[in-house]
Amino acid sequence: MTIRMIFSATATATLALAFASPAFAAYDGTHCKKPGVCWEPQPGYPEQLVGSKYDPHFDPAELAKQQESEDAMVARNKARTAYFIKTGTWVEDVNQIPK
Amino acid sequence: MVSVGVARANEKLVELSKDNGNWVMNGRTYEAQNYSPLTQISTSNVKNLRVAWSFSDGVLNGHEGAPLVVNGMMYIQSPFPNRTFALNLDNPGRIVWENNPKQSSAARSVACCDVVNRGLAYWPGDDTTGPLLFKNLLDGHLVAMDAKTGKTVWKIENNDIRVGSTLTQAPYVVKDEVLAGSSGAELGVRGYITAYDVHTGAQKWRAYATGSDESMLIGKNFNITNPQYGTSNLGLETWQDNGWKIGGGTNWGWYAYDPQENLIYYGSGNPSPWNATMRPGDNKWTMTIFGRDADTGMAKFGYQKTPHDEWDYAGVDVMMLSEQRDKDGKLRKLLTHPDRNGIVYTLDRTNGDLVSANKIDDTVNWVRHVDMKTGIPIRDPEYATYMDHKARGVCPAAMGYHNQGFDSYDPQKQRFMLGANHLCMDWEPFMLPYRAGQFFVGATLSIYPGPKGNRQTGEGSGQIKSYDAITGKMSWSKMERFAVWGGTMSTAGNLVFYGTLDGFIKARDSRTGELLWKFKLPSGVVGNPITFEHKGIQYVAIYYGVGGWPGVGLVFDLTDPSAGLGAVGAFKEMAHYTQQGGGVMVFSLNGKGPYDDVNLGEYEN
């Protein structure tokens, strides 16, 4: 191992140590980019998730499921309430609502 | 044909709520003070309080919330399967009606924290529609029941258990609309609040907690008085990688309403997942105190208490309204909110101005203080949580220094009676994928009593305190064996009543905190007491039936201390003091009640 390599390794280790220390400019919520936007990464942690060690690899199809479900519930409720307003009878099963 | 009534049912509800014979909504009135002017039971005679009558609803699990009392009837709501009972106060031995819905038992498997339900809502009726009671079902339905017969009038779908979305909240009636919240942030559910027409079940508006301004019902005048809180587009800008779509912010706590401002007040819950490294950003507008227009749902103000939550300090706790003079002597319309994060916030409820933000206990350590100018909590990085790191000794724990308990405000003394938790934790997150319908937590917790409790025995995890929101001082503070989970109720008789997890209802002198009376109930308490007058007798009623988050170890027979999201270890001693139950107990001086006439309700041949 050359002197140069040893120096370089030490420097990297020191730098890593500095970032790992909570005292090193740790996120305290006070450095805001604009009102209401004050998050900072913990020292040594990525600013952007995607492509990082902590990438959650979200599946867009899974992320879409809640809105799809809510839209379908709203549509079924609309059919129920419309028939109720028209007739005064509540029919829960939308397939049983007369057209 | 169902038509829309013109009479102002809202005003009828205000009128009914002020009658000492009624308890028509959670919190008793729109001020949500859980305060009664009744004085028959007072510090001088509370030692004579005895059981007048009782009722078992036939269901175990946690019994949260409180019964409603309207025009001589008591309405009782159970946990899953969310049975509702109507009893006549003149002869409570006979069940007038029962509404027992059929629900998929699959709903149980996506409930994070026991199959609790926080109660009913009442709408007094108008020219076209008779009085209604509303309840939410764990499986996500909102049900309107005929208050006279218990028959289901309409029933709509608000939440889908297949994506992990449930309902434990009590509905809330404002004018001719009924509000439903949402649960499921532990399963990555993006929170929303919805208003429905009481007559028809037709949806009036829905506001999400994250995403576009349009979906959150945030317009150009949002936070106009306090732009430093943040304004437009932050529901998208403070998230990465579409995380807002599974960002939590569900609201399952309580509401308050100011008819003059026409604003409803409530808090949005924690962001998902608990693993904060997986969601960089402030994660707006989770953890936010909202003031929304009751008619349109448009948000007038939103103050985020816990930006980028790292501790599950779900910001859904009780909102109590008061009018008090601030430090400059100015009379202000206020909102006081003891949050999970250990701070009690008081805001001007007309515009969201921050008036005070004080620690509920001096052992809160994640935050140094709240900057009153910017509203920013100054975090102590030592108690932060993030990946590949185990945080230790964080106070409060995820269960908060205050949770779902509905507390009280004594307007004579201008003091808030706070049922508090004293729990701290160790926390270590882990990576996990999101699959709709599956839990999406990503953290392992160990929870134990705070510095003032006993960590060896696991006792001393609760406090009860009398708080002055203007000076920030506690007039008195008392330790309890376990977290005071269910809230408090105050009366003009200088009393504060509350139930305990170890199975007592207690009364303290609200001026000094001195314990004056208690009674051993069949099971622990996770709801709040109420009081009402009937035929000249003042009664105090309370649900018993331990459960909720602190009871999950006992209810589901768990022993791993980190199970139940860390609650099993925290409450391991509870099984030495209580077992499951479910019902209501009603007290009066010397136990006076309907059956003083021993022949009442007897079979007559």
Side-chain angles (χ1 to χ4, degrees), chain B residues 93-151:
Chain B
R94 183 172 181 276
I95 296 166
V96 178
W97 57 254
E98 178 192 352
N99 181 296
N100 190 7
K102 300 284 172 278
Q103 291 187 66
S104 164
S105 61
R108 297 179 67 103
S109 62
V110 286
C112 78
C113 310
D114 195 7
V115 295
V116 295
N117 182 288
R118 297 187 186 82
L120 301 160
Y122 181 82
W123 178 75
D126 61 13
D127 306 340
T128 58
T129 307
L132 298 170
L133 277 168
F134 299 95
K135 67 172 164 183
N136 286 322
L137 307 184
L138 189 67
D139 75 0
H141 288 90
L142 167 63
V143 182
M145 298 172 281
D146 183 320
K148 293 197 172 87
T149 64
K151 291 209 167 66

Side-chain angles (χ1 to χ4, degrees), chain A residues 30 59 63 68-69 75 93 97:
Chain A
T30 63
D59 174 352
L63 296 196
E68 287 162 11
S69 154
D93 184 348
I97 294 175

Side-chain angles (χ1 to χ4, degrees), chain A residues 45 54 66 69-70 76-77, chain B residues 157 160 188 208 387-388 436:
Chain A
Y45 282 73
Y54 303 113
Q66 291 180 32
S69 154
E70 285 147 26
R76 287 193 294 272
N77 288 339
Chain B
E157 295 176 84
D160 183 356
Y208 287 87
M387 276 299 295
D388 302 318

Side-chain angles (χ1 to χ4, degrees), chain B residues 220-243:
Chain B
K220 64 181 192 323
N221 290 329
F222 177 65
N223 278 344
I224 198 159
T225 322
N226 291 287
Q228 76 278 13
Y229 293 171
T231 53
S232 60
N233 202 40
L234 298 181
L236 296 170
E237 208 176 311
T238 61
W239 292 86
Q240 286 185 16
D241 199 20
N242 286 324

Side-chain angles (χ1 to χ4, degrees), chain B residues 578-593:
Chain B
T578 192
Q579 293 297 311
Q580 291 192 73
V584 63
M585 294 284 267
V586 183
F587 299 85
S588 63
L589 290 175
N590 300 309
K592 273 176 74 71

Side-chain angles (χ1 to χ4, degrees), chain B residues 14-193:
Chain B
V14 171
E15 210 173 291
L16 282 171
S17 73
K18 288 183 174 154
D19 182 335
N20 291 337
N22 295 328
W23 194 284
V24 288
M25 65 177 87
N26 289 297
R28 185 166 175 267
T29 65
Y30 281 134
E31 285 83 13
Q33 295 174 345
N34 263 357
Y35 173 81
S36 169
L38 289 172
T39 54
Q40 188 177 99
I41 303 167
S42 68
T43 48
S44 62
N45 59 19
V46 68
K47 63 179 187 300
N48 299 323
L49 214 52
R50 303 275 183 275
V51 178
W53 56 272
S54 64
F55 175 78
S56 163
D57 65 15
V59 184
L60 297 177
N61 294 94
H63 281 61
E64 292 186 351
L68 298 185
V69 174
V70 191
N71 298 330
M73 299 288 289
M74 180 181 280
Y75 301 102
I76 292 156
Q77 171 75 351
S78 86
F80 184 89
N82 308 123
R83 302 167 79 176
T84 312
F85 297 93
L87 306 180
N88 188 323
L89 296 177
D90 288 334
N91 181 15
R94 183 172 181 276
I95 296 166
V96 178
W97 57 254
E98 178 192 352
N99 181 296
N100 190 7
K102 300 284 172 278
Q103 291 187 66
S104 164
S105 61
R108 297 179 67 103
S109 62
V110 286
C112 78
C113 310
D114 195 7
V115 295
V116 295
N117 182 288
R118 297 187 186 82
L120 301 160
Y122 181 82
W123 178 75
D126 61 13
D127 306 340
T128 58
T129 307
L132 298 170
L133 277 168
F134 299 95
K135 67 172 164 183
N136 286 322
L137 307 184
L138 189 67
D139 75 0
H141 288 90
L142 167 63
V143 182
M145 298 172 281
D146 183 320
K148 293 197 172 87
T149 64
K151 291 209 167 66
T152 296
V153 178
W154 53 257
K155 180 182 179 187
I156 53 92
E157 295 176 84
N158 190 69
N159 301 74
D160 183 356
I161 57 170
R162 288 170 304 173
V163 297
S165 187
T166 53
L167 269 175
T168 59
Q169 197 192 36
Y172 195 69
V173 167
V174 168
K175 297 185 174 179
D176 287 346
E177 70 187 25
V178 54
L179 301 169
S182 50
S183 294
E186 279 57 57
L187 294 97
V189 172
R190 176 189 176 209
Y192 50 89
I193 170 175

